[in-house]
Amino acid sequence: MNANAKQDATFDVVVIGSGAGAMTAAIRAADQGLSVVVIEQSDQYGGTSAVSGGAVWIPNNHQIAALGGSDSADEALAYLKAATRGEVAEERLRAYVDGAPRMVRYLEEKTRLRYRAVPAYADYYQDLAGAKPGFRSMDPMPFHAAELGPEFLRLREQSPGMLVFGRMTMTTFEAHTLMSRMHGWKKVALGMGLRYWLDLPWRLRSRRDRRLAMGNALVGALRRSMMDRNIPLWLDTAFESLHMDGGRITGVALRRDGRPLRVDAARAVILAAGGFERNQEMRERYLPTPTSSRWSATPPVNSGAGIRAGMAVGAAVALMDQAWWTPTVAVPGEEKQRGLFFERHLPHSIVVNGRGQRFANEAGPYLDFVDAMYADHAKTGATLPAWLIFDAEFRRKYPCGPMLPGSVRPDGKLPPEWLGTVYHRADTLAGLARQIGVDAEGLARSVELNNSYAATGEDLQFGKGGNAYDRFYGDPSVRPNCCIGPISRGPFYAVPLDAGEIGTKGGLLTNEHAMVLDLAGAPIPGLYAIGNTSASITGRSYPGAGATLGPAMTFGFIAANHISGDSHAER
């Protein structure tokens, strides 16, 4: 930034980005008596947080004991140390374990946001010391959009894959009940439909559901809490660079309505602008190849601007070759691809490469599954895309990507352009293999093995369904293994899976206070980074549902405390 540029405004804290981490930081800073502004480049607020599941991974949270579980800071730290394999400084891990429960309790006491722990949502790595079978992942409670007034229309809409019929919102509890067809799922579905359609005044205005859930509930509640504090949110304002004076970050260069702005930060700038997954040049420079920004499940706004600005003032980076991987599928006409988070857990299905061979536990953590896609592709050259294969029984009972169960929406009611793009169908496995270019003999052998595992309940290749996390989205009516069922009834289906993600993991290296470090490992005064703009606190791992948002919000909370000088609030 030109130091002689006209100063347009001054705040104690300037927050770049409007996701959950950014809003948490802004709210906490305001409550600490600091003036703060939130800057968002698009005309909608919420970023990737708004389209997410909204969960936060909070070890040792205050709800666990009341729900019949147990946890401790020592167990959580042991789990994180094992998951991150020594690649993340212990001071940062300890800051998260100590700060996360305090962050959630603060938000519940001082804001409109409410969470509830999910007893059955297990940590992703059940074989590691300190893992828990549930309770650490917390789901946001629904929030009514009427409390936002006109601001509701500026909230980034929920991803279609997290809506029923592309319209009705659902919580994680409801999604779990519906997807795994648990007892009472029909009653849950009926109740959701009645609630939606009986909101008659709003139905005449919009198809959008006013009962916000998942990421929309999280962001909506935080936005209302910002409004309670009169914290300004500047939309359509592009962040361009940082201003450094005397070795300290003192402000930012912005562009709004076509003109440059200079905003000074008396205390600090917090970079919370997401990762670089929508920047093809950065993907090709840092991520495994082949790679494509089209495969991303995030809004088309995360260009890495915060990371690049930090690097321009001498910041160190880490984990730039990593992402929050999940397999995705393209749906014609949608701005982003859909992540397939639960489908791989369901019985009557397998995932194969171009040789028709399975290469991983389909029900394993989605980050690890895409890692396995890349590893197998390096060996075979035949795993990008991979193929989700299922039969008529799966199609009848379960959703898959944009396809509702066939019992609700049969093939004849699907858009014609989906056939041959979103999904492929054939009367025989051999015919399906020819359509998608997969080795027919290899596919037949993989299906034969799967069917034998369905009978015994034990996957001798990869252990599918062998732990609590695998079984979370399994079908409890299928036995002896709720994640494995025979693939035997035609027609047979195939869905192509790309190596997508819900954000990149690499970014600016920070310390336990969320301060950005320079190439020598020293903090850059006045500069903080959180969320996907910072190098992930979880390293190359994905400890549990909400391990993206939990750290983003926790270190937003920690950063605001450190900026205000209230070190006791972090402990």
Side-chain angles (χ1 to χ4, degrees):
M1 178 193 294
N2 181 354
N4 296 317
K6 179 181 179 294
Q7 174 188 336
D8 291 277
T10 299
F11 295 88
D12 290 325
V13 180
V14 177
V15 181
I16 306 298
S18 67
M23 289 184 169
T24 299
I27 291 166
R28 181 61 175 173
D31 283 358
Q32 297 290 83
L34 303 177
S35 62
V36 58
V37 63
V38 175
I39 307 298
E40 168 56 49
Q41 65 173 319
S42 77
D43 60 356
Q44 298 175 309
Y45 62 87
T48 306
S49 301
V51 305
S52 73
V56 289
W57 189 76
I58 309 295
N60 201 28
N61 69 72
H62 63 286
Q63 296 183 13
I64 293 176
L67 291 170
S70 65
D71 199 3
S72 69
D74 287 343
E75 289 175 292
L77 183 62
Y79 178 62
L80 282 175
K81 288 172 70 173
T84 56
R85 305 174 187 176
E87 293 186 326
V88 178
E90 184 171 334
E91 292 81 3
R92 293 181 69 204
L93 297 178
R94 193 176 297 278
Y96 179 60
V97 168
D98 292 342
R102 290 172 172 81
M103 180 274 297
V104 165
R105 188 181 287 276
Y106 157 74
L107 289 176
E108 289 202 343
E109 292 175 352
K110 301 296 184 181
T111 75
R112 308 289 186 111
L113 180 62
R114 300 292 181 271
Y115 268 102
R116 59 178 172 180
V118 186
Y121 213 151
D123 290 341
Y124 289 175
Y125 306 116
Q126 286 291 296
D127 59 328
L128 296 184
K132 292 292 180 177
F135 302 106
R136 285 173 172 169
S137 293
M138 305 183 78
D139 190 36
M141 297 291 285
F143 184 78
H144 204 283
E147 296 193 42
L148 291 170
E151 280 295 281
F152 173 42
L153 300 179
R154 289 183 275 273
L155 168 62
R156 186 173 294 279
E157 292 191 50
Q158 187 72 60
S159 289
M162 295 179 179
L163 300 171
V164 178
F165 293 109
R167 291 171 175 252
M168 296 178 287
T169 61
M170 57 182 170
T171 65
T172 296
F173 285 88
E174 292 163 342
H176 182 207
T177 300
L178 294 175
M179 304 312 172
S180 58
R181 299 168 68 90
M182 296 176 63
H183 177 71
W185 72 271
K186 292 182 179 179
K187 183 177 179 180
V188 170
L190 178 62
M192 292 169 61
L194 287 174
R195 173 195 52 76
Y196 176 83
W197 289 108
L198 290 178
D199 188 7
L200 295 176
W202 187 251
R203 291 286 70 75
L204 298 175
R205 296 180 57 189
S206 172
R207 62 180 287 166
R208 197 168 175 183
D209 198 341
R210 290 200 296 179
R211 183 252 201 175
L212 305 180
M214 296 192 176
N216 261 210
L218 165 62
V219 171
L222 291 175
R223 178 69 186 110
R224 177 65 250 187
S225 302
M226 285 179 59
M227 293 163 63
D228 293 338
R229 294 160 173 79
N230 294 316
I231 298 172
L233 168 62
W234 293 1
L235 300 178
D236 282 318
T237 305
F239 166 63
E240 295 190 336
S241 62
L242 294 163
H243 178 219
M244 177 177 275
D245 187 8
R248 180 183 183 84
I249 299 301
T250 58
V252 295
L254 309 172
R255 183 164 292 274
R256 192 179 193 188
D257 297 327
R259 78 175 187 92
L261 298 178
R262 170 179 164 173
V263 176
D264 282 358
R267 297 285 191 96
V269 173
I270 302 177
L271 297 175
F276 62 85
E277 63 271 10
R278 288 297 191 160
N279 184 320
Q280 183 64 27
E281 188 275 331
M282 290 184 72
R283 289 184 75 107
E284 292 175 359
R285 180 186 304 177
Y286 296 113
L287 296 182
T289 55
T291 186
S292 174
S293 60
R294 295 191 305 274
W295 298 346
S296 181
T298 70
V301 293
N302 295 335
S303 64
I307 299 170
R308 297 196 310 274
M311 293 172 71
V313 296
V317 295
L319 299 171
M320 294 294 282
D321 61 340
Q322 298 296 304
W324 300 98
W325 302 115
T326 188
T328 60
V329 59
V331 180
E334 294 189 359
E335 71 167 8
K336 54 188 178 295
Q337 295 199 181
R338 296 202 189 192
L340 271 70
F341 301 103
F342 62 85
E343 290 90 341
R344 296 168 293 107
H345 296 242
L346 293 166
H348 311 290
S349 70
I350 56 175
V351 178
V352 300
N353 60 19
R355 297 180 178 181
Q357 300 168 342
R358 294 175 67 212
F359 53 88
N361 171 12
E362 292 91 342
Y366 30 97
L367 181 149
D368 294 348
F369 191 80
V370 176
D371 272 341
M373 288 173 66
Y374 272 114
D376 193 69
H377 190 76
K379 296 176 183 177
T380 67
T383 323
L384 295 174
W387 295 93
L388 175 63
I389 306 294
F390 52 91
D391 71 353
E393 183 68 5
F394 180 108
R395 175 74 185 97
R396 180 182 70 85
K397 293 172 67 175
Y398 311 124
C400 183
M403 299 186 292
L404 292 170
S407 58
V408 177
R409 194 180 188 190
D411 292 354
K413 299 293 184 180
L414 298 176
E417 64 270 22
W418 287 8
L419 183 60
T421 56
V422 175
Y423 73 100
H424 299 257
R425 181 187 64 217
D427 291 333
T428 66
L429 283 170
L432 185 66
R434 284 194 298 273
Q435 278 191 35
I436 62 176
V438 164
D439 181 79
E441 290 185 6
L443 178 59
R445 176 59 178 160
S446 294
V447 168
E448 179 184 353
L449 285 172
N450 172 81
N451 293 352
S452 70
Y453 302 154
T456 64
E458 185 178 5
D459 173 7
L460 297 179
Q461 288 178 286
F462 301 107
K464 183 179 181 181
N467 62 63
Y469 171 69
D470 284 14
R471 295 189 292 270
F472 184 72
Y473 279 116
D475 184 342
S477 71
V478 174
R479 299 177 181 176
N481 188 323
C482 65
C483 297
I484 307 176
I487 301 172
S488 55
R489 290 185 51 212
F492 300 93
Y493 297 81
V495 171
L497 304 182
D498 291 321
E501 32 59 37
I502 52 174
T504 46
K505 267 177 162 276
L508 306 177
L509 190 59
T510 59
N511 66 11
E512 67 272 23
H513 306 298
M515 297 186 73
V516 175
L517 304 179
D518 65 17
L519 297 175
I524 298 175
L527 186 61
Y528 296 73
I530 61 175
N532 289 350
T533 305
S534 63
S536 174
I537 184 72
T538 65
R540 300 171 190 274
S541 72
Y542 205 147
T548 52
L549 290 175
M553 295 166 67
T554 297
F555 281 99
F557 176 75
I558 288 172
N561 291 335
H562 192 255
I563 293 165
S564 72
D566 187 359
S567 60
H568 297 291
E570 299 174 40
R571 298 174 183 168

